[in-house]
Amino acid sequence: RQQKKAAGFSLDLGPLKEPIGFIRLLEWFFAIFAFATTGGFSGTTHFKVKCPGSDTHDVKPVFGYPFRLPANPFVIPSCNTTAKNQTFLQGDFSSSAEFFVCVGVFAFLYCTATLVLYLGFQYMYRQTTRGPIVDLVVTGAFTFLWLVSSSAWGKGLTDVKWATNPENLVTQCKDICEPGESPSLGRLNASVIFGFLNLILWAGNCWFIYKETPFHKDPIPVEGGPTGP
């Protein structure tokens, strides 16, 4: 009867006071920050076209997530004719950006599921060894995925910065073009930081989950003095 009574949801906030629950809650927040700062990003870069004896034209190429830069063409005015030269930003960095966001979304979903398990079904998590072992394996896998995705997106962001730098854009029309304002990429810089913070959190949490598994054995206390017959 007691097992049947315990078979339902039973909210207990106690695990949040333990490292395994508190760190999982932090992972939940930082996963949101990681994919939210990358997905949905939109920005512009800027340079000016100065034709002799005419007004200055502002050119503002647009780019954004998933950073397939040639997807958004822009027009460079021609000084000699009325024709307009349509061109594109160079580089497709969608693979690293989408991989990073995908890891963040799946990490968020896993954190949500395990927090429900920790807080509502703690007895199910601890009554068998399978729960902590599966949790340890998945947490270790996400640690590796955060390492790979954050490193790849960090390199991808470096390439995005180069491809959208006004100093590099004006090389195709350097006789009449001059660089303008650089794009604001602080949000993307933060996304890479959040990615590596997630790596640290998930790696650290592996130890606390490992302590819940049967692989971790508590030291056996040694009783003092000999035992009687």
Side-chain angles (χ1 to χ4, degrees):
R1 291 181 179 178
Q2 290 180 349
Q3 288 182 344
K4 288 183 178 180
K5 185 179 180 180
F9 180 85
S10 177
L11 181 62
D12 178 14
L13 299 181
L16 292 180
K17 300 177 182 178
E18 301 175 10
I20 185 174
F22 180 68
I23 294 178
R24 185 50 45 95
L25 183 63
L26 290 178
E27 290 169 350
W28 186 80
F29 279 112
F30 278 95
I32 295 174
F33 293 149
F35 71 76
T37 50
T38 307
F41 175 86
S42 179
T44 58
T45 186
H46 176 226
F47 63 92
K48 300 176 182 179
V49 177
K50 290 186 175 181
C51 295
S54 65
D55 296 334
T56 300
H57 301 278
D58 288 325
V59 181
K60 296 183 177 182
V62 178
F63 64 97
Y65 180 81
F67 303 101
R68 294 186 182 92
L69 300 188
N72 297 306
F74 62 96
V75 174
I76 300 178
S78 176
C79 292
N80 299 326
T81 64
T82 57
K84 294 183 179 180
N85 178 27
Q86 187 179 70
T87 187
F88 307 86
L89 294 174
Q90 300 299 313
D92 183 351
F93 312 106
S94 59
S95 58
S96 59
E98 290 176 333
F99 179 46
F100 181 78
V101 170
C102 182
V103 171
V105 170
F106 277 104
F108 163 76
L109 294 176
Y110 182 71
C111 287
T112 303
T114 50
L115 281 172
V116 171
L117 183 63
Y118 292 168
L119 303 182
F121 301 94
Q122 182 66 208
Y123 64 93
M124 293 178 58
Y125 181 79
R126 296 184 186 272
Q127 73 181 1
T128 64
T129 60
R130 183 167 34 179
I133 291 175
V134 171
D135 195 12
L136 177 62
V137 171
V138 176
T139 301
F142 269 110
T143 302
F144 175 74
L145 289 174
W146 277 119
L147 172 63
V148 175
S149 63
S150 299
S151 301
W153 173 228
K155 174 61 169 60
L157 177 57
T158 301
D159 294 336
V160 169
K161 289 179 179 179
W162 188 92
T164 59
N165 189 335
E167 298 283 349
N168 299 324
L169 293 177
V170 297
T171 56
Q172 55 189 320
C173 57
K174 53 179 131 183
D175 295 334
I176 58 173
C177 297
E178 66 177 35
E181 299 176 359
S182 297
S184 177
L185 301 177
R187 178 175 160 185
L188 297 182
N189 291 331
S191 71
V192 176
I193 295 174
F194 285 131
F196 283 105
L197 285 176
N198 272 293
L199 167 63
I200 295 171
L201 285 172
W202 286 78
N205 206 17
C206 283
W207 166 248
F208 295 104
I209 298 174
Y210 169 75
K211 292 173 69 175
E212 300 288 332
T213 67
F215 307 126
H216 179 265
K217 300 188 187 312
D218 292 326
I220 301 173
V222 179
E223 297 181 0
T227 59

